[in-house]
Amino acid sequence: MNISELKESITTLTESNNTVSKKLQLICDLLKQEIEYYDWVGFYFKNGDKQELRLAEFAGEPTEHIIIPFGKGICGQVALSNQNFVVPDVEAQDNYISCGFKVKSEIVIPIFVNNENIGQIDIDSHTVNPFSENDELLLEFVCEKVAKLF
């Protein structure tokens, strides 16, 4: 993973003339394509005034988890904690929502606009414990760029 090249590509995508939806889709596609252990990449955003997240753009297999209540699963926990959450092995998590038997690990990074958690990027991997500090740094950068779209 060449982080500086990916950051350049993300910056170019977020500064393009595409719609926000198209920019988010292109980011999902790029990350899934460029990082071999990113098997599912998606964005969840707060669903209006409800205490739930709604799936937006994603790349990977379709999921039944379109709506996730705050507090439920890894994404729902991040909606409340406002903290990065790296799960090296999903089987070790009590409050995990299974997106499929192939998923072995997950990383979720919140997106902040004016100090408010408006959503997150969610990555699932079919590999146990693939995520490093570099992944967190890259995804925090992605979230900072995405936040500027809102």
Side-chain angles (χ1 to χ4, degrees):
M1 160 178 32
N2 184 327
I3 289 186
S4 44
E5 285 180 16
L6 277 172
K7 284 182 173 183
E8 282 182 39
S9 296
I10 296 295
T11 299
T12 300
L13 288 175
T14 57
E15 293 174 355
S16 72
N17 290 327
N18 289 311
T19 64
V20 171
S21 177
K22 181 68 173 174
K23 290 176 186 183
L24 294 175
Q25 186 62 59
L26 291 169
I27 291 169
C28 291
D29 294 341
L30 175 72
L31 291 173
K32 185 176 183 305
Q33 176 184 326
E34 293 299 318
I35 302 176
E36 65 179 300
Y37 52 90
Y38 283 20
D39 295 298
W40 191 91
V41 179
F43 288 99
Y44 282 92
F45 290 99
K46 188 172 180 196
N47 191 11
D49 291 333
K50 299 176 183 172
Q51 294 292 296
E52 64 186 23
L53 298 164
R54 181 172 193 67
L55 179 63
E57 288 67 28
F58 69 93
E61 294 180 16
T63 178
E64 63 188 46
H65 304 289
I66 308 300
I67 301 290
I68 299 177
F70 283 13
K72 188 164 169 68
I74 308 308
C75 292
Q77 290 176 73
V78 169
L80 294 176
S81 73
N82 299 320
Q83 302 289 319
N84 296 356
F85 200 158
V86 180
V87 181
D89 183 355
V90 297
E91 290 187 21
Q93 285 294 314
D94 292 335
N95 189 5
Y96 171 71
I97 303 172
S98 177
C99 292
F101 71 94
K102 295 184 213 171
V103 178
K104 304 294 184 213
S105 56
E106 183 172 8
I107 184 171
V108 178
I109 309 292
I111 301 167
F112 294 97
V113 173
N114 299 323
N115 296 318
E116 180 187 350
N117 182 345
I118 65 153
Q120 54 204 226
I121 189 167
D122 177 22
I123 314 288
D124 290 343
S125 179
H126 298 167
T127 305
V128 174
N129 198 21
F131 304 116
S132 70
E133 184 179 345
N134 285 337
D135 293 288
E136 278 195 82
L137 293 172
L138 172 63
L139 295 172
E140 286 171 354
F141 176 84
V142 170
C143 289
E144 288 168 16
K145 290 294 185 180
V146 167
K148 292 178 181 174
L149 303 176
F150 293 91

